[in-house]
Amino acid sequence: MTIYKELKAICGENNVFIDEPMSNHTLTKIGGKADIFVTPQTYEQVAEVVRLKARYNLPFMLLGNGSNMIVKDGGIRGLVMYMSHLAEVRVEGTQLIAQGGAGIIHAAQIALQHNLTGLEFACGIPGSIGGAMVMNAGAYGGEVKDVIDHVKVVTPTGDLVTLTKDDLALDYRTSIIGKKHYIVLEAVFRLEKGDASQIKEKMDDLTFRRESKQPLEYPSVGSVFKRPPGYYAGKLIQDSGLQGKGVGGAEVSTKHAGFIVNKNNATAADYIATIEMVRDTVKQTFGVELELEAKIVGEDLSHSKGQ
């Protein structure tokens, strides 16, 4: 209760929640409860929350928009910080400045409105700006490192720091941000003036390709596995005959084998068991070890608090 009161003093009474269902905040619609769930509204509040969790040595998790995350059925112990209030996107000249909680799809749409080219690849990536920076998100031949200029972050000790592109160590689905457990406050992208009709045409084409190939009609974590060197994860899964198969309410998508969908009120245990089934089958069939792109967090139901 002491921590709860301190968090309310930092962020305001309406921005701190106890036993918040994580299923309300993940794109899989799966996940148990978070002990404490906080939604800061300013950069300084983010820093103060980080200092508080460091002072009390609290278990801590940052939540973007829950697009690349599977939360176990037992939920999250400690503190979850949700960046939904820090979602502003603005344009200054050819720079686009986006706060960490903004959706990268929204940022791509704002770029289009200002006739700026460079973010078209992101028009279908279902993640936050912060998550996109952690993962060096990319699609259809483009990625964050192609257009990022600099990023403002909070360190694990609550310091505000600016990192240049060279500082970020951006590589395939990785960056220094994830490795150092930094929290992205805002990212500044350096774009170029372009022709609005050409930008829109490209975004419409990429959106059509995504919607026609991906199972967007069901909740899912998005792309489950990283691309193995020399292969495509979806092709390996498809050729293993796994489409339409799964555990409980989870299923390997019949539309795109690289996706596992929550087809019928799946639990996290169903989803994770389906992932393991896919990994085991592909390993046995092709000798290829699939590496997770999605993150699994939290505790199993049997280990959750009070059990």
Side-chain angles (χ1 to χ4, degrees), residues 234-290:
K235 184 73 162 59
L236 290 171
I237 297 165
Q238 179 179 323
D239 292 348
S240 297
L242 290 170
Q243 286 179 284
K245 296 182 179 179
V247 177
E251 180 182 286
V252 177
S253 171
T254 55
K255 193 172 183 180
H256 189 312
F259 287 69
I260 294 172
V261 295
N262 177 0
K263 192 169 184 182
N264 186 22
N265 296 316
T267 64
D270 293 341
Y271 210 95
I272 293 165
T274 303
I275 288 172
E276 291 309 315
M277 179 196 72
V278 168
R279 295 181 76 179
D280 290 345
T281 305
V282 168
K283 177 72 171 177
Q284 291 169 11
T285 307
F286 294 104
V288 177
E289 192 85 47
L290 291 180

Side-chain angles (χ1 to χ4, degrees), residues 31-56:
K33 296 177 180 179
D35 287 349
I36 307 177
F37 190 88
V38 60
T39 57
Q41 295 183 295
T42 69
Y43 294 170
E44 185 52 38
Q45 286 179 5
V46 173
E48 285 194 55
V49 171
V50 169
R51 292 174 203 136
L52 180 144
K53 70 92 177 173
R55 189 164 71 250
Y56 285 103

Side-chain angles (χ1 to χ4, degrees), residues 30-262:
I30 287 171
K33 296 177 180 179
D35 287 349
I36 307 177
F37 190 88
V38 60
T39 57
Q41 295 183 295
T42 69
Y43 294 170
E44 185 52 38
Q45 286 179 5
V46 173
E48 285 194 55
V49 171
V50 169
R51 292 174 203 136
L52 180 144
K53 70 92 177 173
R55 189 164 71 250
Y56 285 103
N57 197 26
L58 276 179
F60 176 82
M61 193 188 84
L62 178 69
L63 181 66
N65 76 337
S67 63
N68 196 43
M69 178 180 294
I70 302 155
V71 178
K72 291 184 176 182
D73 299 309
I76 309 282
R77 302 292 68 80
L79 178 63
V80 174
M81 184 161 66
Y82 186 37
M83 302 287 279
S84 59
H85 290 314
L86 293 167
E88 181 190 359
V89 180
R90 67 185 192 276
V91 168
E92 296 178 3
T94 55
Q95 287 192 336
L96 182 140
I97 301 100
Q99 291 186 316
I104 194 165
I105 292 174
H106 178 56
Q109 291 290 342
I110 296 296
L112 167 62
Q113 291 173 18
H114 288 80
N115 302 340
L116 294 175
T117 183
L119 267 183
E120 291 92 331
F121 73 89
C123 68
I125 296 175
S128 66
I129 290 292
M133 291 306 313
V134 170
M135 295 291 293
N136 183 29
Y140 299 111
E143 55 187 350
V144 163
K145 77 174 183 179
D146 299 333
V147 287
I148 193 65
D149 187 80
H150 64 274
V151 180
K152 292 181 180 178
V153 303
V154 172
T155 71
T157 54
D159 297 316
L160 277 68
V161 176
T162 297
L163 302 173
T164 67
K165 178 179 178 177
D166 290 341
D167 296 328
L168 293 170
L170 296 163
D171 205 343
Y172 177 67
R173 300 300 175 265
T174 187
S175 73
I176 198 72
I177 294 168
K179 293 173 184 174
K180 296 281 192 179
H181 305 292
Y182 295 149
I183 295 170
V184 175
L185 297 174
E186 70 178 40
V188 179
F189 298 92
R190 188 173 294 280
L191 306 177
E192 295 179 2
K193 280 289 184 184
D195 180 86
S197 61
Q198 291 181 2
I199 297 168
K200 186 176 187 303
E201 184 179 348
K202 184 173 182 180
M203 288 172 65
D204 287 347
D205 175 57
L206 295 182
T207 299
F208 173 78
R209 287 159 66 180
R210 175 175 177 259
E211 290 178 349
S212 62
K213 293 179 181 178
Q214 296 182 11
L216 304 180
E217 63 272 26
Y218 294 110
S220 84
V221 78
S223 184
V224 179
F225 303 103
K226 293 182 181 180
R227 180 177 171 182
Y231 298 92
Y232 290 96
K235 184 73 162 59
L236 290 171
I237 297 165
Q238 179 179 323
D239 292 348
S240 297
L242 290 170
Q243 286 179 284
K245 296 182 179 179
V247 177
E251 180 182 286
V252 177
S253 171
T254 55
K255 193 172 183 180
H256 189 312
F259 287 69
I260 294 172
V261 295
N262 177 0

